[in-house]
């Protein structure tokens, strides 16, 4: 079911869907909860990792992973994972910067924050911890056929995600070809502090116009819709892995995903600006209630004499009109029998969603759906990283990874009125990723 | 009815632990052996039941197969069983490293070029072939599983008692 | 619609590799493919953490699967 509407501002038809908010809300569906290929028998293999993600002046996150897997005999493998992450910092609210200071209300309705002139408005109320649990069972079913099933649970203060997955993989041509099919069903619910805002309702800012606290609260509540809202996601994945020669293998995957329900980010707003480019008011964003995505993925791994070259390309498209290209490459150089370094380069490019608008123009008809979240806009991003790994005499392995991630949002073709022309509406987001891993 | 029987048969076969009986029994391809404990070629072993196991250092299930093969060799050597483990590593050093961790009480031959493996038309790794006293391949196994060890032993006994 | 058909066709053609019996190696020639670092899920933890970051900061997610490859044993 697709809802379309014509917007007088852009004259384009728009469809509706939702994308989760920052690192605070994560539903990793089919990725990560996939069948384990092999494990050692009689022993638990554990992998632990600690990751630090820090953007300059914005979000900081720390994530810890503990994973254990064991082969219970003849490739009947159980794998479990626990992930804990903590997030703090500020994230772009979607409003545009202004030539003078601005005041905003926090999404919870409790408190305000001020943005300096010329600065991109960041909402710094993100402070959240999340727990994620995963369990996966893989076993052979028939000759050359394996099956896998798993569950996934993710919980944070205002978000809950539950998913189940199942997949089958069959080998052909003396295991040179493997065909796999997977299905994942997820159910998410969101219940943020302050409730869910009504789409396009104005953000209520207390500038002394309210007689008392209750009057403010009443005005704030008027912009809220009641209850939690949820989303269901169905993911399908079809893949073919083919051995090309003694050194090389390739993988081709097709992914199809539909999600239904609340996709709006309750913390994001749009600025309504006049023809001088000055903000008149702020309204909450609204995204469609449905999204259908497709992805085409190709990967090659090549065994060098002392290392591995790994390169992949992914093309993704959806009915929000977001098209993206991703190139990811890793080159592993074995320095010795026990140590290696691995440079990493990733390039990502995406086009803007149909309903993406950096701001709304005062006086124009409100579109059915709009979002100024730069993560739905046009952007390119690249990652440059280096990983160093070493194997101890005991067989345990340490690895250290340091990466730099930069996102460069771009103007998807919107004219900037008045004062907005002098401001940088699309600032880059720069982040450092550091990780330590230990396997034993 | 016929369809049901055929599909049931197919179902049973696909569930079976990969123990295939050659419909058209093949006589075991001969090859030269360079090992002090054995005669200089396979055909010289007629009169004995031979269990040929193809393995490599990078094959994880092979780690389980060796203790079982050692056990079988010890148990049935007196009755005329000869197990031979054929290594398919391209570098002998890798095979040696494996054998230091997984001890082998059975003779090892090296086939780095994979010539013997191609003659036997290996379907997977590891692979094993049971050759009867007349030199015909009677059973072929693809892979090694703990759950099929008893079945393989039964096959050995069957051939030894012929 | 036509675009979708073309994309589906491109995928179907690529799946014809199932019939490409001349591609691949003999079971005993998988020594390099059997190496840990050649497994598709060899850096599963890293890939999972990265996917989480990119899922949160970009509009696209997923794409990978881990089946196949490796030593082809059992």
């Amino acid at each position: 079911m697709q809802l379309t509407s014509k917007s007088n501002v852009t004259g384009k038809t728009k469809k509706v869907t939702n994308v989760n908010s920052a690192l605070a809300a994560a539903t990793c569906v089919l990725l990560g909860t996939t069948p384990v290929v092999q494990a050692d028998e009689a022993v638990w293999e554990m992998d632990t990792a600690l990751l630090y993600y820090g953007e300059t002046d914005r979000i900081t996150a720390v994530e810890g992973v503990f994973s254990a897997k064991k082969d219970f005999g003849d490739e009947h493998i159980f794998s479990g994972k626990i992930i804990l992450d903590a997030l703090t910092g500020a994230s772009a609210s979607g409003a545009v910067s202004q030539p003078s200071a601005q005041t905003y209300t926090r999404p919870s309705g409790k408190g305000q924050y001020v943005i300096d002139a010329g600065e991109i408005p960041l909402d710094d109320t993100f402070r959240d911890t999340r727990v994620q649990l995963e369990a996966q069972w893989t076993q052979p079913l028939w000759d050359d056929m394996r099956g896998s099933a798993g569950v996934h649970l993710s919980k944070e203060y205002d978000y809950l995600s539950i998913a189940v997955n199942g997949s089958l993989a069959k080998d052909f041509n003396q295991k040179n070809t493997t065909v796999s099919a997977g299905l994942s069903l997820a159910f998410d619910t969101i219940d943020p502090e302050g409730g869910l805002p009504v789409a396009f309702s104005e953000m209520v800012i207390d500038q002394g116009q309210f007689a008392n606290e209750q009057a403010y609260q009443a005005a704030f509540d008027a912009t809220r819709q009641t209850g939690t809202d949820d989303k269901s996601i169905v993911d399908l994945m079809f893949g073919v892995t083919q051995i090309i020669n003694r050194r090389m293998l390739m993988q081709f995957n097709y992914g199809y995903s539909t999600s239904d329900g609340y996709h709006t980010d309750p913390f994001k707003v749009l600025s309504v600006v006049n023809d001088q480019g000055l903000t008149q008011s702020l309204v909450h964003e609204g995204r469609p209630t449905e999204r259908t995505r497709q992805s085409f993925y190709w990967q090659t791994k090549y065994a060098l004499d002392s290392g591995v070259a790994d390169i992949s390309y992914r093309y993704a498209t959806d009915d929000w009109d977001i098209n993206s290209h991703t190139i990811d490459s890793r080159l592993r150089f074995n320095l010795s029998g026990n140590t290696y370094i691995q440079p990493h380069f990733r390039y990502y490019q995406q086009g803007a969603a149909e309903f993406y608008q950096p701001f709304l123009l005062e006086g124009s008809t409100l579109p059915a759906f709009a979002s100024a979240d730069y993560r739905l806009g046009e952007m390119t991003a690249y990652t440059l990283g280096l990983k160093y790994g070493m194997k101890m005499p005991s067989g345990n392995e340490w690895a250290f990874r340091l990466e730099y991630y930069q996102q460069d949002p771009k103007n998807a073709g919107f004219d900037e009125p008045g004062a907005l022309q002098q401001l940088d509406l699309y600032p880059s987001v720069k982040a450092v990723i550091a990780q330590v891993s230990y396997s034993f | 009815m016929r369809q049901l029987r055929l599909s049931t048969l197919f179902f049973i076969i696909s569930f079976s632990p990969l123990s295939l009986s050659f419909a058209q029994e093949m006589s075991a391809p001969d090859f030269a052996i360079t090992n002090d404990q054995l005669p200089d070629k396979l055909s010289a072993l007629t009169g004995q039941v031979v269990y040929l196991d193809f393995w490599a250092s990078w094959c994880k299930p092979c780690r389980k197969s060796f203790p079982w093969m050692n056990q079988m060799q010890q148990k049935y050597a007196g009755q005329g069983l000869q197990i031979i483990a054929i290594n398919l590593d391209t570098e002998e050093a890798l095979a040696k490293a494996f054998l230091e961790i997984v001890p082998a009480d059975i003779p090892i031959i090296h086939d780095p070029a994979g010539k013997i493996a191609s003659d036997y038309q290996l379907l997977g790794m590891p692979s094993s072939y049971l050759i009867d006293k007349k030199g015909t391949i009677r059973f072929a196994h693809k892979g090694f599983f703990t759950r099929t060890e008893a079945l393989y032993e039964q096959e050995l006994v069957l051939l030894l008692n012929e | 619609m036509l675009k979708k058909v073309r994309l589906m066709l491109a995928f179907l053609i690529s799946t014809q590799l199932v019939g490409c019996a001349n591609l691949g190696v003999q079971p005993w020639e998988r020594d390099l493919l059997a190496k840990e670092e050649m497994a598709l899920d060899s850096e599963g933890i890293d890939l999972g953490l990265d996917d989480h970051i990119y899922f949160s900061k970009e509009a696209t997610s997923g794409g990978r699967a881990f089946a196949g490859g490796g030593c082809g044993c059992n």
Side-chain angles (χ1 to χ4, degrees):
Chain A
M1 187 187 84
Q2 279 174 0
L3 301 167
T4 54
S5 72
K6 262 204 148 64
S7 156
N8 280 11
V9 179
T10 57
K12 292 189 281 188
T13 46
K14 292 177 179 178
K15 281 173 266 178
V16 187
T17 35
N18 281 312
V19 168
N20 295 317
S21 56
L23 279 168
T27 50
C28 299
V29 255
L30 212 47
L31 21 113
T33 56
T34 42
V36 179
V37 179
Q38 60 172 9
D40 274 330
E41 282 198 15
V43 286
W44 281 97
E45 277 173 51
M46 328 258 207
D47 283 288
T48 59
L50 192 65
L51 175 113
Y52 166 84
Y53 173 88
E55 292 170 355
T56 24
D57 301 328
R58 296 201 191 187
I59 298 270
T60 306
V62 175
E63 194 162 336
V65 184
F66 179 82
S67 152
K69 71 179 179 190
K70 184 175 173 181
D71 186 336
F72 286 88
D74 293 340
E75 271 119 59
H76 288 63
I77 304 170
F78 171 80
S79 142
K81 217 192 248 194
I82 302 174
I83 302 174
L84 280 163
D85 66 56
L87 196 81
T88 69
S91 174
S93 65
V96 289
S97 42
Q98 289 283 279
S100 53
Q102 309 173 74
T103 306
Y104 290 87
T105 300
R106 295 194 185 286
S108 60
K110 304 180 178 77
Q112 299 179 326
Y113 57 99
V114 176
I115 303 296
D116 293 334
E119 293 284 299
I120 188 98
L122 302 175
D123 178 359
D124 69 351
T125 42
F126 289 102
R127 220 165 244 93
D128 211 349
T129 49
R130 186 180 70 100
V131 176
Q132 182 175 317
L133 298 166
E134 281 172 23
Q136 191 83 19
W137 177 259
T138 310
Q139 70 167 68
L141 293 174
W142 296 292
D143 192 10
D144 287 335
M145 173 108 89
R146 282 174 304 285
S148 184
V151 292
H152 158 119
L153 183 118
S154 175
K155 176 85 187 88
E156 57 202 282
Y157 179 61
D158 58 6
Y159 203 97
L160 172 71
S161 172
I162 308 170
V164 291
N165 73 73
S167 65
L168 288 172
K170 183 148 174 67
D171 298 323
F172 299 89
N173 300 336
Q174 295 176 301
K175 296 194 200 281
N176 280 305
T177 310
T178 305
V179 173
S180 64
L183 172 72
S184 169
L185 302 166
F187 186 74
D188 296 357
T189 51
I190 183 165
D191 185 14
E193 192 184 342
L196 298 170
V198 173
F200 300 109
S201 60
E202 241 183 75
M203 178 194 265
V204 178
I205 301 170
D206 189 353
Q207 286 162 330
Q209 73 268 45
F210 297 105
N212 51 31
E213 183 61 37
Q214 284 155 314
Y216 164 75
Q217 197 58 49
F220 179 82
D221 289 343
T223 64
R224 304 287 120 175
Q225 43 163 315
T226 50
T228 58
D229 236 318
D230 45 51
K231 180 170 79 179
S232 57
I233 307 154
V234 178
D235 257 291
L236 285 165
M237 175 82 78
F238 300 99
V240 178
T241 304
Q242 175 70 46
I243 307 291
I244 306 294
N245 58 38
R246 188 172 155 249
R247 288 181 178 269
M248 182 156 84
L249 64 85
M250 282 195 189
Q251 182 186 130
F252 300 86
N253 292 335
Y254 169 71
Y256 180 85
S257 166
T258 52
S259 52
D260 227 292
Y262 189 77
H263 291 75
T264 303
D265 188 324
F267 309 114
K268 301 278 184 250
V269 296
L270 288 121
S271 300
V272 179
V273 299
N274 64 13
D275 52 9
Q276 303 302 309
L278 300 172
T279 303
Q280 303 303 298
S281 64
L282 299 160
V283 297
H284 293 102
E285 67 157 45
R287 301 185 195 185
T289 52
E290 195 242 26
R291 185 179 186 189
T292 302
R293 287 182 276 187
Q294 294 183 81
S295 68
F296 300 85
Y297 176 82
W298 166 84
Q299 179 184 13
T300 295
K301 270 192 121 147
Y302 186 86
L304 304 162
D305 281 327
S306 277
V308 176
D310 179 345
I311 185 157
S312 67
Y313 167 73
R314 176 189 63 186
Y315 171 70
T317 181
D318 65 16
D319 63 358
W320 284 7
D321 214 25
I322 301 174
N323 299 319
S324 71
H325 303 271
T326 315
I327 296 178
D328 206 342
S329 64
R330 287 177 169 84
L331 196 57
R332 174 171 163 149
F333 294 106
N334 290 336
L335 299 170
S336 73
N338 303 317
T339 56
Y340 68 88
I341 56 161
Q342 183 175 276
H344 172 216
F345 174 66
R346 177 183 185 269
Y347 177 77
Y348 176 78
Q349 191 266 324
Q350 87 178 26
E354 260 190 323
F355 56 89
Y356 168 80
Q357 285 186 217
F359 49 81
L360 290 170
L361 283 171
E362 189 184 37
S364 60
T365 322
L366 274 181
F369 312 105
S371 172
D373 188 343
Y374 80 92
R375 295 169 306 173
L376 294 183
E378 193 174 311
M379 73 154 101
T380 57
Y382 70 87
T383 308
L384 266 174
L386 192 66
K387 179 176 178 181
Y388 173 75
M390 59 191 192
K391 205 168 197 140
M392 314 304 290
S394 54
N396 302 341
E397 189 177 318
W398 281 100
F400 305 92
R401 190 160 77 110
L402 191 63
E403 306 208 319
Y404 175 74
Y405 175 50
Q406 178 167 321
Q407 288 184 314
D408 296 313
K410 304 209 183 309
N411 186 339
F414 294 92
D415 289 325
E416 291 160 11
L420 294 181
Q421 281 166 13
Q422 275 80 50
L423 299 165
D424 181 10
L425 300 182
Y426 306 98
S428 295
V429 180
K430 299 170 187 180
V432 166
I433 300 167
Q435 180 187 331
V436 177
S437 313
Y438 184 59
S439 304
F440 56 101
Chain B
M1 193 57 204
R2 184 157 168 251
Q3 254 194 334
L4 179 66
R5 259 187 283 159
L6 279 175
S7 54
T8 322
L9 189 68
F10 174 74
F11 200 64
I12 292 167
I13 287 173
S14 54
F15 261 111
S16 76
L18 312 156
S19 187
L20 309 162
S21 257
F22 282 106
Q24 196 184 15
E25 283 171 355
M26 200 172 116
S27 78
D30 200 5
F31 52 86
I33 300 173
T34 34
N35 189 299
D36 300 329
Q37 303 166 275
L38 297 167
D40 61 352
K41 53 185 177 168
L42 177 71
S43 44
L45 285 166
T46 39
Q48 284 190 285
V49 171
V50 181
Y51 183 97
L52 283 179
D53 180 83
F54 289 86
W55 67 280
S57 62
W58 44 263
C59 158
K60 278 200 169 150
C62 301
R63 269 161 234 187
K64 276 189 294 173
S65 65
F66 272 79
W68 178 81
M69 288 194 292
N70 292 340
Q71 202 189 7
M72 293 296 107
Q73 179 64 49
Q74 201 189 19
K75 199 168 171 185
Y76 297 105
Q79 295 178 43
L81 172 68
Q82 182 60 59
I83 303 183
I84 304 174
I86 305 175
N87 173 257
L88 294 164
D89 274 292
T90 44
E91 285 167 54
E92 223 177 286
L94 295 168
K96 279 202 169 64
F98 177 93
L99 292 168
E100 271 163 36
I101 311 167
V102 183
D105 301 327
I106 45 180
I108 314 278
I109 348 180
H110 296 275
D111 181 27
K115 168 94 186 37
I116 310 173
S118 342
D119 289 342
Y120 278 81
Q121 296 164 42
L122 251 54
L123 290 175
M125 283 295 289
S127 273
S128 55
Y129 297 86
L130 261 177
I131 304 164
D132 67 12
K133 295 176 183 171
K134 296 197 194 111
T136 316
I137 301 175
R138 298 284 290 281
F139 298 103
H141 308 133
K142 185 177 80 163
F144 188 85
F145 306 89
T146 324
R147 67 174 188 271
T148 54
E149 284 175 4
L151 172 71
Y152 295 179
E153 193 171 344
Q154 275 175 18
E155 290 169 358
L156 276 176
V157 171
L158 176 75
L159 295 184
L160 286 167
N161 291 340
E162 276 181 349
Chain C
M1 183 64 206
L2 185 64
K3 192 180 173 193
K4 276 189 185 171
V5 170
R6 264 188 282 157
L7 289 168
M8 281 302 297
L9 209 64
F11 171 70
L12 282 170
I13 289 167
S14 62
T15 58
Q16 288 315 301
L17 278 174
V18 177
C20 279
N22 48 341
L23 272 179
V25 293
Q26 297 291 353
W28 60 91
E29 291 174 330
R30 295 180 73 131
D31 55 331
L32 294 177
L33 297 165
K35 284 190 180 179
E36 252 183 81
E37 53 262 32
M38 277 299 282
L40 286 167
D41 64 348
S42 65
E43 293 182 310
I45 302 279
D46 287 10
L47 295 174
L49 287 168
D50 276 356
D51 275 337
H52 181 200
I53 294 171
Y54 299 127
F55 169 85
S56 310
K57 305 301 299 182
E58 296 167 358
T60 306
S61 59
R64 278 178 204 270
F66 298 138
C71 83
C73 297
N74 275 12

